[in-house]
Amino acid sequence: MKEANYDYIIVGAGSAGCVLANRLTEGGRHRVLLLETGGSDKSIFIQMPTALSIPMNTKKYAWQFETEPEPYLDNRRMHCPRGKVLGGSSSINGMVYVRGHARDFDEWQQQGADGWDYRHCLPYFKKAETWAFGGDEYRGDQGPLGVNNGNNMQNPLYRAFVDAGVDAGYFATDDYNGARQEGFGAMHMTVKNGRRWSTANAYLRPAMARDNLTVVTHALVHKVLLEGKQATGVRYEKDGKLVDVKASEEVILSAGSIGSPHLLQLSGIGNREVLEQAGIPVDHELPGVGGNLQDHLEFYFQFRCKEPVSLNGKLDWWNKLKIGVRWLLKKDGLGATNHFESCGFIRSKAGVEWPDLQYHFLPAAMRYDGKEAFSGDGFQLHIGHNKPRSRGSVYVQSDNPRQPPRILFNYLQHEDDREGFRDCVRLTREIISQPAMDRFRGPEIQPGVDVQSDQEIDAFVRQAVESAYHPSCTCKMGVDDQAVVGPDTRVHGVSGLRVVDSSIFPTIPNGNLNAPTIMVAERAADLIRGLAPLDPSTAPVEMDEHWRDRQRPGGARRAIA
């Protein structure tokens, strides 16, 4: 083994790791090593937004993890892809930019993540982004991350969906990442100049020109090196050879909500019983490692479309070729969007303070692998209950770093989660039945009009629901006995070791996870460097003041029993 020395070692060049690599090398003071198991992100299938389904389902670019049989989903094994490429999951995701509701971060603060409330997080969201329509007290205009609305809802189905939400008595929201999340409006995506604007493009590529950053790809990290309760470096494998590297300051795990707890466990840090069953010596007992696993589920609510305006007419090889050629030449058109250009955030019932249901609207009826669901025109809504109470785990199985961990989400274990999906079905039918959709609404394809009772909805959901690919919370931030890192992102009881990625979320936000993961890394970079935090925001948060007794601003629905 050969040795090399750095100030900081970052494990994982994903949504958080690329941010850290950029920020920690600013000014040239620190020598930083960034390790990534995957390789280049220069594939057209990664860079072209409309091709999003390809890298997610390709072994070269993503860990193709699979869960244990999920006991509350008829023992189905669920697909759990995670990025294995520069940019990590930001290079394989759907590019949807949702920060989450302000109360999600206040919830973090209440659970012991001091300083991570909305007032302190909002400045870092702003620091990260350049919003296509200019900055204000909520949106940034000087950050690395380009955010826009794709093709600005040119397809008439997008606007019809938003109008249907308003017809049903919900808010229209000009910016769900601004003062009010609740309501219907345009959806935002991390796309710039027609290209996927991953953290590799936004943060890493500029930093790679600096002499003090070393990036090593195709490097499989085996473990964190410990001397007593001090992390001193990591051991990784490249080209069949083991390499030990030392960090004079800190080791930072940014391997994601599956990779980071797994690597801690491989290093002898975790729940004693889990480590002993895997045959790994316990160097530091930390019971919460790998627990508290949370994710978002969703299903596709599909309808036929009465007018030939959906994208189903663009799924043949000839139209795909034309879209691809136009994108190659001009970086615009249907190739330059993820097609989720309108959305909705609503509360499932009266008594829920902030939105717990999320809609992604797609002007097509197709599967996530990009194949059509049926012949003819259609549209679909991806709908899910976003504040689950079910909890799962990511546990190491052996000391072999190539053996995937045991992943069990326990999806829909909690009755509140099952109730949330019943609300998804019934509220969606009501929204799509509004006059704004009359011109386009054809027969319901899925779930089907015969699915009506609680029992019928539950059975449908168990078979149809899919992961929204938002695993999180497995190295939770806090101060209780299940917390893995403190509010400073340092691992409890081990000096020189941090975790910075979506695994440290105490609870899952109401929205897609790329934006809050980038925010966490931006704020953690200041903590690591000992910089004063950005001044907290005073921007107001708009809520439905009558949330206790009504499900939507246009009228009461059902109160919580």
Side-chain angles (χ1 to χ4, degrees):
M1 301 180 188
K2 62 179 182 179
E3 291 193 1
N5 295 289
Y6 298 87
D7 296 310
Y8 295 98
I9 298 172
I10 304 167
V11 179
S15 297
C18 289
V19 176
L20 294 174
N22 183 301
R23 297 305 188 191
L24 296 183
T25 56
E26 288 177 330
R29 176 183 172 190
H30 301 296
R31 294 186 64 215
V32 176
L33 172 65
L34 178 64
L35 298 172
E36 169 57 45
T37 306
S40 171
D41 65 329
K42 292 183 178 180
S43 165
I44 184 177
F45 299 119
I46 290 177
Q47 299 300 325
M48 182 166 62
T50 195
L52 62 94
S53 65
I54 296 175
M56 182 181 295
N57 293 287
T58 302
K59 287 184 178 181
K60 180 179 180 180
Y61 302 124
W63 301 96
Q64 300 296 329
F65 293 123
E66 190 176 67
T67 72
E68 297 295 302
E70 291 288 345
Y72 306 96
L73 295 184
D74 294 341
N75 289 315
R76 295 164 56 203
R77 290 183 182 269
M78 304 293 282
H79 186 213
C80 183
R82 296 286 83 204
K84 187 177 65 173
V85 61
L86 292 178
S89 292
S90 75
S91 289
I92 69 165
N93 68 2
M95 292 157 282
V96 175
Y97 183 84
V98 181
R99 294 172 174 178
H101 195 278
R103 290 290 188 267
D104 291 321
F105 306 102
D106 295 342
E107 184 177 68
W108 289 8
Q109 169 97 5
Q110 293 163 5
Q111 294 209 7
D114 189 47
W116 291 89
D117 58 316
Y118 180 68
R119 293 177 61 247
H120 288 88
C121 290
L122 178 54
Y124 288 97
F125 279 117
K126 292 180 62 179
K127 179 181 181 180
E129 78 166 343
T130 291
W131 172 228
F133 302 102
D136 57 26
E137 59 184 334
Y138 302 95
R139 305 307 297 259
D141 59 4
Q142 299 182 51
L145 193 69
V147 183
N148 65 22
N149 179 238
N151 287 329
N152 299 318
M153 300 201 301
Q154 293 179 20
N155 190 300
L157 285 165
Y158 293 123
R159 175 55 59 186
F161 173 64
V162 174
D163 291 344
V166 176
D167 285 349
Y170 297 98
F171 291 117
T173 180
D174 293 333
D175 182 358
Y176 63 82
N177 286 312
R180 173 187 286 141
Q181 185 192 59
E182 186 172 359
F184 288 74
M187 182 163 259
H188 312 155
M189 63 188 74
T190 49
V191 173
K192 181 178 180 181
N193 298 327
R195 296 175 61 200
R196 174 194 290 273
W197 214 239
S198 64
T199 55
N201 284 332
Y203 286 91
L204 182 59
R205 203 141 276 118
M208 289 175 74
R210 301 170 186 161
D211 292 338
N212 58 327
L213 175 63
T214 301
V215 180
V216 179
T217 57
H218 305 294
L220 177 66
V221 176
H222 283 220
K223 64 187 300 185
V224 177
L225 300 175
L226 299 173
E227 293 181 5
K229 302 295 184 179
Q230 168 81 37
T232 60
V234 303
R235 176 171 298 165
Y236 71 91
E237 180 181 346
K238 182 174 173 65
D239 299 328
K241 298 179 180 178
L242 292 176
V243 182
D244 283 3
V245 284
K246 295 297 182 68
S248 61
E249 295 290 336
E250 292 180 326
V251 174
I252 307 166
L253 303 186
S254 296
S257 290
I258 306 300
S260 287
H262 188 219
L263 191 51
L264 286 174
Q265 292 164 350
L266 287 168
S267 308
I269 302 170
N271 181 290
R272 177 175 294 277
E273 183 178 349
V274 171
L275 297 181
E276 289 177 347
Q277 287 181 353
I280 297 173
V282 180
D283 288 318
H284 181 63
E285 188 171 4
L286 204 54
V289 173
N292 196 45
L293 175 62
Q294 298 167 47
D295 190 18
H296 291 147
L297 286 172
E298 64 181 16
F299 68 88
Y300 312 156
F301 217 122
Q302 296 178 327
F303 294 83
R304 290 191 180 273
C305 184
K306 294 191 294 188
E307 294 191 13
V309 295
S310 79
L311 297 178
N312 284 66
K314 306 291 186 182
L315 296 178
D316 61 279
W317 72 270
W318 174 241
N319 274 292
K320 285 183 177 179
L321 177 62
K322 288 193 294 183
I323 291 168
V325 169
R326 176 171 176 171
W327 183 84
L328 284 169
L329 296 175
K330 301 174 69 176
K331 298 296 186 294
D332 66 4
L334 293 177
T337 175
N338 63 9
H339 306 293
F340 295 113
E341 294 185 20
S342 65
C343 64
F345 298 88
I346 66 175
R347 292 176 292 111
S348 59
K349 53 179 68 68
V352 174
E353 184 179 2
W354 68 92
D356 58 341
L357 305 184
Q358 178 182 2
Y359 290 100
H360 301 64
F361 182 85
L362 185 68
M366 64 177 67
R367 304 199 305 257
Y368 223 120
D369 60 9
K371 296 180 180 178
E372 63 182 358
F374 54 83
S375 60
D377 282 272
F379 59 88
Q380 70 189 35
L381 304 89
H382 295 217
I383 172 65
H385 178 245
N386 272 9
K387 296 298 288 184
R389 297 186 66 180
S390 302
R391 298 291 184 264
S393 59
V394 175
Y395 288 153
V396 67
Q397 298 192 81
S398 76
D399 61 0
N400 180 359
R402 286 186 169 78
Q403 183 174 11
R406 180 180 180 270
I407 303 170
L408 182 67
F409 286 92
N410 283 319
Y411 290 123
L412 301 186
Q413 178 186 44
H414 200 286
E415 172 61 21
D416 286 2
D417 301 348
R418 298 191 288 272
E419 175 67 22
F421 273 93
R422 295 172 200 142
D423 292 326
C424 287
V425 172
R426 292 179 173 128
L427 294 173
T428 301
R429 282 181 171 145
E430 184 184 12
I431 292 165
I432 299 302
S433 71
Q434 298 302 313
M437 293 300 298
D438 286 351
R439 171 185 164 191
F440 304 108
R441 183 185 58 253
E444 179 181 317
I445 301 300
Q446 182 177 289
V449 294
D450 57 330
V451 177
Q452 296 289 338
S453 69
D454 286 359
Q455 293 77 16
E456 290 164 345
I457 292 173
D458 289 351
F460 163 77
V461 168
R462 287 196 302 271
Q463 281 298 308
V465 79
E466 298 181 8
S467 172
Y469 309 122
H470 300 160
S472 54
C473 308
T474 48
C475 297
K476 67 172 285 190
M477 178 167 45
V479 294
D480 61 86
D481 59 5
Q482 291 300 304
V484 176
V485 303
D488 57 3
T489 73
R490 289 188 171 100
V491 174
H492 288 305
V494 181
S495 58
L497 182 61
R498 297 186 195 244
V499 182
V500 179
D501 54 34
S502 63
S503 71
I504 71 171
F505 296 179
T507 56
I508 192 168
N510 179 44
N512 308 66
L513 299 193
N514 191 233
T517 300
I518 293 169
M519 177 277 293
V520 162
E522 283 278 17
R523 191 165 189 275
D526 279 1
L527 291 171
I528 292 165
R529 293 178 292 179
L531 300 179
L534 298 179
D535 290 338
S537 172
T538 58
V541 177
E542 296 181 10
M543 308 280 287
D544 182 356
E545 61 182 4
H546 300 290
W547 62 269
R548 291 179 180 85
D549 53 34
R550 68 187 188 190
Q551 181 261 332
R552 73 192 82 178
R557 177 73 178 175
R558 285 180 293 147
I560 292 179

